[in-house]
Every structure is written in structure tokens, then in C-alpha cells.
């Protein structure tokens, strides 16, 4: 008899070659890139529209101050001081808009590439009678079936319901290596704008025109769909409150100055300069750019965040759920041994295991067939082929076993607990040595699969298949890093508890969930959230959709089903489950950057008191000269130096806002101390040095000494 397995079509479960992302427009140089600066400048000037400025209360006040000082300068054209203050206030506003425009511009090149992928294709729509008719891609509706063959561009997002094909997804992933998409599995989802390279598939459309994956990507990378996150809204409220407080304080200075006889030193131009210097203009100017840059850092790593809230939540995640296979371990577990129970030969066990795996297209199933073939080549008896009347039993997450019914025999292969229960339900008994063999393999970190048969002799266990998997190199160090970040890691696996415990100890995770079903994952997430924790997880199958939807950060694999991608709030275009660790780091970097620059912004206002207040009131109150610790040249020079520094510091901090403050794994207390030392103390010291330097330069100008 033949011992070869039936031919199999290409399978997406096999590792797909990954190449570096070559898409243009991925990384921008910010203000250090002249081309990008020139491209962003027109957008920055367009943002001077008061309707756009009103979105940021702080910068709107600066804009109003610019308008007022310009009007006052026009009434007195010979007042060079008024013109200088007005010019620098306008520059402050433009620099703020430029920071946002540069951040937005970093996604425009990628959006252009995506638009080229979104071509006006003509689809071959399946009619009610089974025929085909041409239809514009823009007229396709949810539920339509379309046929795509080699050379065709897929007209819309959907799921493959028939056939298997090689697809070029470089338009959205940047990878030139084709991928396999097929019906009936977790790799059935296809994206509109990608190209079929071989074979024929039938696709069921799952999104309406204008709401496709590429359409959503274009809106997100350009920033058009970016909404303020809860933390960003809260910070805006704080900045607006501080602005109102300083506005009231500055307004009340005028009557006090009149009473003290310092009316000439407190003109509206000076008061406008004082207000702009006192309100938190630095963080107000950079806040939007920080949020956009955080989204862009994810895009650079081929992750599409469907909301800014998800990026922010990633920074606050305290529990991380990770699949074992393919994430913590290398995946593609391979059968390394057939271990029969007493009274059963290895050949008998190998034959039954092979029959139950002939239709199993998973890497584990294929490795069992290959190992069985090796036993024949080593001198064992030939293995039988499956009869023509064989009925295959597919593996499901609920049953956790697969098999075949053929020739009056029912063979099952799967998780120890599931197969043992199947045997006992049919009146059989699981021998003690089978349990000992399975426990021994599990304790060694392997995965035991029980093989059982039901025939005329009844239901009985034949033995155990030993599957081997290897923990990825460096995972223990990465989990230790997450622990320093205050994140608890939980490994989720369908393996039995002994195997899960051995792998968890080797990998260094904090906890594990063994023999997990979709309901178990959902229940675990809800328990964690009930304790006030934010949870992140990855998934790619329809059975992961409920958990992805429940998680605070649900990262769906691009190779997964449409249900998974719709349920998650992030999509990883590379389909790399370990990228969840990077996503958490990016989220934390976003929050740290926002906090650090807020600290710097508030701290650097202190020096401006020592510059402007003495300049305004020294005439009336000579004792205030002691506050002039910088020894500035003149009142006009002091005020102008503070305004100039206030504008230039925005430019200086734009690269940091776009790149992000470097994140080092540490506890919250350690990060707070570091930020206060670097950005709090730095925010206090830098303005004194900066304002003094500008004053020295201005003092060289006649009339300012």
C-alpha cells in the first residue's frame, strides 16, 4: 500500500518570508528635513484660520495676542518694539502650527502610496444564477461574491469563501513576498487593492465602498480621523484653565499699574507679551504633534491603530495576554516521537495518528504524517491509506481534537483531557501509563497528544504523540523588561496545565491559562478589568473576536479573519504577535513624552517672571530690581528676549515631540523622579540661560542697551 499523504494545497500557516518595509514616507526628519519643512509650511499658514486655531485654547490666545499687537503696531508705525513683539507672537503661532503640520506630513507619502493601491477596479460579480457580470468596484455591496484570478486586483475587502491563491499585499504591508489566502481558515481575509498572483478565489465582500481598510488607513495616517484621546482632552482642559487664570491675572495688572504710576511700562503690547509668556504655550503648541507622532510611530512598525484611545491605553496596560504558540515559542510544533501504551506497537500508534492527520493541514498535523513516514523508512510495517468513505473530523477550539471515521473505526487525536473524555464517554478507560506518559512529556515542556480509537473492541487509548516546541530566544529578558514596566504577563494556551507550567517557567511569564477556550479568554479579561486593570491581547481568528473586542487593546493580525480585525482596535499588518510588546512600549513613550514636555512647559515659565515683571514695575517699585537675577540690559530687551525664547523653544522641542522621549523600563516612581530631574529642573534652568543669551545678542542693537 502507498504510504504517502494526499497532495495538499499551499497553506498560509507556513511561515511567510518577511522583508524590510520599503514604503516611502515612513520616517520624516521633522524640522531638520528642508523638503518636509517646505511641504509643511503652507499647511501651517492655512492653520492660522481662527476656526482652526480655536481647537487649541492656548494657541488661540496667542493668535488673539498676535492680532491685537499687530493692530496696535499699525496705529503707531514708528514703534519698533510693538512691531518686534507682534512679529515674534506671529512666529510663535506659526511654529506651533508647523509642528502639527510636520507631524501630519509624515503620513502623506504613505497615504499617496495607499491611494495608488485604491484603483478604480472592475469586479467580476457572481450573479444569482451562478454566472458572472462586470461591476465597478464602487458599486459592490456587503455580501456580494466576486471572482478573482491571477492578475486581478481584489476590488474590496472581504473573505475568501472558495479556493486558494497567492496574493501580493505589498501595497499595504510594504513586503514584496506574496502570501497565501484560502477559504475555511483564519487566513481568509483579503484587502481591496491587493493583487492576486496565482490561482482562482471567490471573495465575499465584507465592507461597503469608502469604508474599506485602505480608506481607513488613509484617513488615519493623514491625521484626518484622529480624535483627541481622554488624556489629551483632560490636559487641554487643564491648559485652558491655566490660561484663564493667567488671563485674569494679567488683566488685573493694568489698574494696579495705573495706581502705582507704571502705566507707561504696562502697555497692551507688554501685557500681551506677558500673557503669552506665562501661559503654557510650549505644551499647547506641541500637544497635537505629540499625539500624531505617536500614531506615526505605530505606522512605522506596520501597525494601524484604529483610534488614538487605543495607543494611549497601550501605555497604561497592566496585563498582557499572549498566545504561547508562535508568540512565546517558535510555533510550528513538530512531532518527535510516538510513545505507545502497553500492549500497543509503535507501528499501530503511528498508523492511527497518521490517518487522523491526513486532512490536518496544521504544521503539527503535517509533522505527524512526516514522522509516520519516517517510521516506515526505518523498517516498520507499511501504513494504510484512508478509505474512500473516510469522514474527516476537523479540529475546533471547543473540541480540541480532530480525527477520522473510516472502515468501521473512529480515530481521535488531540489534547489529553479532550481525548480522555471522549474515550470515557464511550465506555472506555484511559490506562494509567497513558496518563504517566502524557504527564512526563508535559513536565519536560513538550505537548502530549493522545491518540484513541473506537472499533469492535471498544474505545481505548493507543498512545501519545510527543510534540516539541522551543521558547524564542530572549523572551525571558523581554518578560523581565515588562515586569520592570509594571506589566503582568499571562500566557494563553490550549495545552494541558503541566505543559503550560513548564513553558511558562522557561519563558519567565507571570501566569498562564491552560486549555483555554474562547469563553475562558473572555472571562479572564473581564476578571482583570473588574480589578481596575487595562488588558491587551492579540488574536487572528473568529474565535478570538469576543476577547479582542473586550480587551482595552486588541491587536488583530492582518492575516486573520475580518471578524477579528473588526473586533480589535489595532491591526498588525505584519501579523507578528510579539509586536504587542512593542505597541505597549510605544504607548508608554507617548504618555511619557506628553508628561515630560508638560513638565518642561510649566517649569520654563518661571524664568519669564524674573525677566518681565521687573521690567514692568521697577520704575514704580525700585526694590524689584533684586528679581532681575539675569541682569538684563533694559526693560525692552528683557521683554523681547522672553518672547523670542518662548517662540524658539517650540522649534527646539519639535524633534523631541516627533521622536518621543526615550523610554526605559522602570516603575512609575522611578520614571516620575527622572522626568522631574531632567525636564522639571531642565525647564527651570534652560530659560535663564536662553533668555540671557538672547538679551546679550539684542544688547548689541543700538537703542536696546
Amino acid at each position: 500500500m502507498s504510504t504517502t499523504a494526499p497532495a495538499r494545497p499551499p497553506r498560509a500557516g507556513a511561515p511567510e518570508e518577511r522583508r524590510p518595509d520599503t514604503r516611502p514616507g515612513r520616517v520624516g526628519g521633522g524640522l531638520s528635513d528642508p523638503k518636509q519643512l517646505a511641504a509643511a509650511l503652507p499647511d501651517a499658514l492655512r492653520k492660522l484660520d481662527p476656526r482652526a486655531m480655536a481647537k487649541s485654547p492656548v494657541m488661540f490666545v496667542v493668535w488673539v495676542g498676535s492680532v491685537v499687537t499687530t493692530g496696535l503696531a499699525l496705529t503707531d508705525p514708528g514703534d519698533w518694539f510693538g512691531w518686534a513683539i507682534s512679529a515674534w507672537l506671529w512666529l510663535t503661532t506659526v511654529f506651533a502650527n508647523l509642528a502639527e503640520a510636520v507631524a501630519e506630513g509624515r503620513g502623506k507619502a504613505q497615504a499617496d502610496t495607499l491611494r495608488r493601491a485604491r484603483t478604480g477596479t472592475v469586479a467580476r460579480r457572481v450573479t444569482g444564477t451562478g454566472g458572472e457580470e462586470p461591476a465597478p468596484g464602487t458599486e459592490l455591496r456587503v455580501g456580494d461574491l466576486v471572482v478573482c484570478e491571477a492578475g486581478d486586483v481584489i476590488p474590496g475587502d472581504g473573505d475568501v469563501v472558495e479556493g486558494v491563491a497567492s496574493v501580493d499585499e505589498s501595497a499595504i504591508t510594504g513586503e514584496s513576498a506574496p502570501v497565501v489566502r484560502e477559504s475555511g481558515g483564519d487566513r481568509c481575509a483579503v484587502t481591496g487593492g491587493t493583487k492576486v498572483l496565482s490561482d482562482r478565489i471567490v471573495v465575499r465582500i465584507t465592507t461597503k465602498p469608502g469604508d474599506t481598510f485602505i480608506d481607513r488607513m488613509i484617513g488615519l495616517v493623514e491625521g484626518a480621523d484622529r480624535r483627541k484621546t481622554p488624556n489629551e482632552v483632560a490636559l487641554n482642559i487643564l491648559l485652558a484653565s491655566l490660561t484663564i487664570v493667567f488671563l485674569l491675572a494679567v488683566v488685573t495688572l493694568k489698574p494696579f499699574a495705573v495706581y502705582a504710576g507704571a502705566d507707561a511700562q504696562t502697555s497692551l503690547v507688554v501685557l500681551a507679551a506677558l500673557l503669552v509668556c506665562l501661559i503654557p504655550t510650549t505644551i499647547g503648541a506641541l500637544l497635537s504633534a505629540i499625539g500624531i507622532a505617536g500614531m506615526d510611530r505605530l505606522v512605522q512598525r506596520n501597525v494601524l491603530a484604529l483610534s488614538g484611545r487605543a495607543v494611549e491605553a497601550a501605555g497604561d496596560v497592566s496585563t498582557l495576554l499572549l498566545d504561547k504558540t508562535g508568540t512565546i515559542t517558535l510555533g510550528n510544533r513538530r512531532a518527535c516521537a510516538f510513545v505507545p501504551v502497553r500492549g500497543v506497537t509503535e507501528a499501530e500508534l503511528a498508523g492511527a495518528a497518521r490517518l487522523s492527520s491526513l486532512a490536518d493541514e496544521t504544521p503539527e498535523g503535517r509533522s505527524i504524517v512526516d514522522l509516520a513516514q519516517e517510521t516506515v523508512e526505518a523498517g516498520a510495517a507499511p501504513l494504510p491509506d484512508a478509505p474512500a468513505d473516510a469522514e474527516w473530523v476537523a479540529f475546533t477550539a471547543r473540541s480540541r481534537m480532530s480525527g477520522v471515521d473510516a472502515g468501521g473505526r473512529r480515530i481521535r487525536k488531540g489534547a489529553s483531557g479532550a481525548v480522555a473524555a471522549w474515550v470515557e464517554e464511550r465506555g472506555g478507560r484511559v490506562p494509567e501509563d497513558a496518563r504517566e506518559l502524557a504527564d512526563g512529556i508535559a513536565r519536560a515542556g513538550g505537548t502530549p497528544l493522545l491518540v484513541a480509537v473506537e472499533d469492535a473492541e471498544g474505545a481505548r487509548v493507543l498512545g501519545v504523540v510527543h510534540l516539541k516546541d522551543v521558547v524564542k530566544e530572549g523572551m525571558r529578558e523581554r518578560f523581565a523588561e515588562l515586569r520592570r514596566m509594571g506589566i503582568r504577563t499571562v500566557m494563553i494556551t490550549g495545552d494541558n496545565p503541566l505543559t503550560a507550567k513548564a513553558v511558562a517557567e522557561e519563558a519567565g511569564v507571570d501566569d498562564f491559562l491552560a486549555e483555554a477556550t474562547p469563553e475562558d479568554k473572555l472571562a479572564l479579561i473581564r476578571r482583570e478589568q473588574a480589578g481596575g486593570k487595562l488588558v491587551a491581547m492579540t488574536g487572528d481568528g473568529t474565535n478570538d473576536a469576543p476577547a479582542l473586542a473586550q480587551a482595552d487593546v486588541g491587536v488583530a493580525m492582518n492575516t486573520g479573519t475580518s471578524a477579528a480585525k473588526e473586533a480589535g482596535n489595532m491591526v498588525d499588518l505584519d501579523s507578528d504577535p510579539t509586536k504587542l510588546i512593542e505597541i505597549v512600549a510605544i504607548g508608554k513613550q507617548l504618555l511619557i513624552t506628553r508628561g515630560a514636555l508638560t513638565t518642561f512647559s510649566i517649569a520654563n515659565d518661571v524664568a519669564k517672571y524674573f525677566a518681565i515683571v521687573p521690567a514692568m514695575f521697577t520704575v514704580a517699585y525700585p526694590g524689584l530690581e533684586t528679581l532681575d537675577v539675569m541682569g538684563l540690559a533694559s526693560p525692552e530687551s528683557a521683554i523681547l528676549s522672553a518672547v523670542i525664547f518662548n517662540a524658539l523653544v517650540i522649534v527646539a522641542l519639535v524633534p523631541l515631540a516627533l521622536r518621543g522621549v526615550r523610554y526605559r523600563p522602570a516603575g512609575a516612581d522611578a520614571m516620575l523622579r527622572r522626568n522631574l530631574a531632567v525636564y522639571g529642573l531642565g525647564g527651570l534652568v534652560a530659560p535663564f540661560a536662553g533668555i540671557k543669551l538672547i538679551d546679550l545678542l539684542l544688547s548689541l542693537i543700538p537703542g536696546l542697551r
Side-chain angles (χ1 to χ4, degrees):
M1 295 183 181
S2 170
T3 59
T4 59
R8 304 180 183 89
R11 170 79 179 177
E16 297 169 352
E17 181 187 355
R18 297 289 181 193
R19 299 187 182 182
D21 184 10
T22 57
R23 275 179 289 178
R26 305 289 297 174
V27 181
L31 293 184
S32 62
D33 185 346
K35 291 183 179 179
Q36 197 166 34
L37 183 60
L41 187 57
D43 288 337
L45 295 177
R46 281 192 289 270
K47 290 177 182 291
L48 291 175
D49 185 326
R51 292 168 296 184
M53 297 301 304
K55 295 178 181 178
S56 171
V58 176
M59 297 315 301
F60 182 68
V61 170
V62 180
W63 181 87
V64 171
S66 305
V67 172
V68 170
T69 54
T70 302
L72 293 173
L74 288 172
T75 61
D76 187 4
D79 181 13
W80 67 266
F81 180 74
W83 282 111
I85 293 293
S86 176
W88 279 102
L89 292 186
W90 278 116
L91 285 174
T92 303
T93 309
V94 172
F95 290 158
N97 291 344
L98 196 60
E100 184 176 3
V102 168
E104 291 174 349
R106 298 172 79 180
K108 290 186 183 297
Q110 186 191 13
D112 292 339
T113 302
L114 293 171
R115 284 194 180 91
R116 288 194 291 271
R118 189 185 57 182
T119 56
T121 56
V122 176
R124 295 162 55 188
R125 183 166 54 192
V126 178
T127 63
T129 59
E132 298 178 11
E133 64 178 7
T138 54
E139 293 183 5
L140 294 177
R141 295 294 177 262
V142 176
D144 284 350
L145 297 177
V146 295
V147 176
C148 298
E149 294 182 329
D152 291 345
V153 174
I154 298 174
D157 295 355
D159 291 330
V160 178
V161 296
E162 180 184 321
V164 56
S166 179
V167 179
D168 176 10
E169 294 187 340
S170 59
I172 61 170
T173 65
E175 298 164 2
S176 56
V179 295
V180 176
R181 295 290 174 258
E182 60 183 332
S183 62
D186 288 344
R187 294 181 180 244
C188 63
V190 291
T191 305
T194 58
K195 188 176 183 179
V196 177
L197 299 179
S198 68
D199 301 293
R200 176 183 183 275
I201 53 175
V202 178
V203 177
R204 177 184 289 113
I205 300 299
T206 57
T207 57
K208 60 185 180 180
D211 195 28
T212 65
F213 190 67
I214 288 184
D215 288 318
R216 291 158 69 190
M217 283 188 70
I218 290 172
L220 287 163
V221 299
E222 287 189 321
D225 291 347
R226 199 186 82 85
R227 294 177 176 82
K228 285 185 170 62
T229 61
N231 281 349
E232 201 171 344
V233 170
L235 185 54
N236 265 313
I237 293 173
L238 172 62
L239 298 181
S241 301
L242 290 175
T243 300
I244 293 172
V245 169
F246 284 121
L247 179 61
L248 293 175
V250 170
V251 168
T252 57
L253 281 179
K254 187 63 176 177
F256 281 113
V258 172
Y259 176 78
D263 186 33
Q265 287 73 39
T266 56
S267 65
L268 286 179
V269 171
V270 172
L271 291 177
L274 175 63
L275 176 61
V276 169
C277 288
L278 295 187
I279 62 177
T281 51
T282 306
I283 185 61
L286 299 174
L287 186 58
S288 182
I290 293 170
I292 295 172
M295 300 277 284
D296 182 67
R297 281 193 288 275
L298 279 178
V299 171
Q300 289 178 29
R301 288 163 178 79
N302 262 8
V303 177
L304 174 64
L306 303 181
S307 72
R309 183 189 295 266
V311 185
E312 211 168 67
D316 285 330
V317 160
S318 51
T319 303
L320 203 58
L321 307 186
L322 297 162
D323 282 332
K324 176 180 80 72
T325 305
T327 304
I328 296 173
T329 63
L330 292 175
N332 295 344
R333 297 174 298 181
R334 294 191 59 82
C336 64
F338 295 118
V339 189
V341 299
R342 283 187 294 270
V344 178
T345 66
E346 183 181 0
E348 185 180 358
L349 172 60
R354 176 181 175 277
L355 278 177
S356 66
S357 303
L358 285 176
D360 185 352
E361 289 298 326
T362 63
E364 294 88 349
R366 292 198 296 273
S367 73
I368 290 173
V369 174
D370 293 340
L371 181 62
Q373 178 66 28
E374 292 173 10
T375 64
V376 175
E377 295 172 354
L383 302 173
D385 277 336
D389 63 345
E391 295 183 6
W392 305 103
V393 178
F395 175 87
T396 65
R398 190 177 299 278
S399 68
R400 295 186 295 122
M401 60 182 179
S402 60
V404 62
D405 298 340
R409 304 174 71 205
R410 306 176 71 187
I411 303 173
R412 294 295 182 270
K413 166 198 94 245
S416 302
V419 174
W422 182 83
V423 170
E424 291 169 355
E425 285 174 2
R426 284 152 181 77
R429 188 179 65 84
V430 180
E432 191 61 34
D433 61 334
R435 298 185 188 277
E436 291 175 357
L437 290 171
D439 290 348
I441 292 171
R443 279 192 294 271
T447 301
L449 296 181
L450 284 188
V451 179
V453 63
E454 182 184 20
D455 53 17
E457 299 179 21
R460 64 191 188 280
V461 174
L462 299 179
V464 185
V465 179
H466 184 179
L467 295 181
K468 261 189 175 181
D469 202 353
V470 180
V471 173
K472 291 180 178 178
E473 186 177 353
M475 290 307 294
R476 175 174 284 276
E477 290 75 14
R478 298 190 77 174
F479 289 133
E481 185 177 305
L482 288 169
R483 200 171 294 113
R484 290 195 297 273
M485 293 160 59
I487 296 174
R488 174 172 169 264
T489 53
V490 181
M491 180 184 76
I492 299 177
T493 177
D495 292 338
N496 64 68
L498 286 174
T499 302
K501 184 173 185 293
V503 176
E505 289 176 351
E506 182 181 355
V509 296
D510 298 313
D511 202 354
F512 64 88
L513 177 65
E515 298 180 339
T517 64
E519 292 82 4
D520 293 334
K521 296 178 187 178
L522 193 59
L524 174 61
I525 292 173
R526 286 173 175 168
R527 284 199 303 272
E528 293 289 323
Q529 290 172 333
K533 299 176 181 177
L534 294 185
V535 181
M537 76 161 288
T538 62
D540 61 357
T542 302
N543 63 329
D544 292 323
L548 286 171
Q550 182 68 36
D552 300 284
V553 180
V555 183
M557 302 296 100
N558 188 47
T559 55
T561 62
S562 295
K565 289 195 282 189
E566 288 295 327
N569 47 29
M570 290 189 187
V571 178
D572 177 18
L573 302 180
D574 291 333
S575 300
D576 176 9
T578 62
K579 200 176 289 183
L580 184 57
I581 298 173
E582 293 180 52
I583 292 171
V584 170
I586 291 171
K588 285 189 174 295
Q589 185 184 35
L590 170 66
L591 296 178
I592 290 170
T593 302
R594 188 182 293 156
L597 293 185
T598 300
T599 303
F600 183 92
S601 177
I602 294 175
N604 77 15
D605 288 338
V606 174
K608 299 164 193 174
Y609 292 101
F610 290 90
I612 297 180
V613 172
M616 293 173 62
F617 291 102
T618 299
V619 173
Y621 302 102
L624 288 177
E625 282 189 13
T626 56
L627 292 179
D628 186 14
V629 294
M630 291 177 277
L632 302 178
S634 66
E636 291 82 0
S637 176
I639 296 170
L640 189 54
S641 297
V643 172
I644 293 174
F645 177 84
N646 193 64
L648 294 181
V649 75
I650 295 174
V651 179
L653 291 175
V654 167
L656 183 61
L658 298 182
R659 185 180 64 250
V661 173
R662 184 179 177 185
Y663 170 68
R664 296 182 178 88
D669 291 343
M671 285 191 290
L672 178 61
R673 287 194 299 271
R674 176 177 174 272
N675 278 352
L676 288 177
V678 175
Y679 297 98
L681 184 60
L684 285 172
V685 174
F688 283 95
I691 291 173
K692 179 59 179 177
L693 178 60
I694 295 170
D695 176 72
L696 290 174
L697 295 175
L698 291 177
S699 65
L700 300 177
I701 302 174
L704 279 179
R705 288 191 291 269

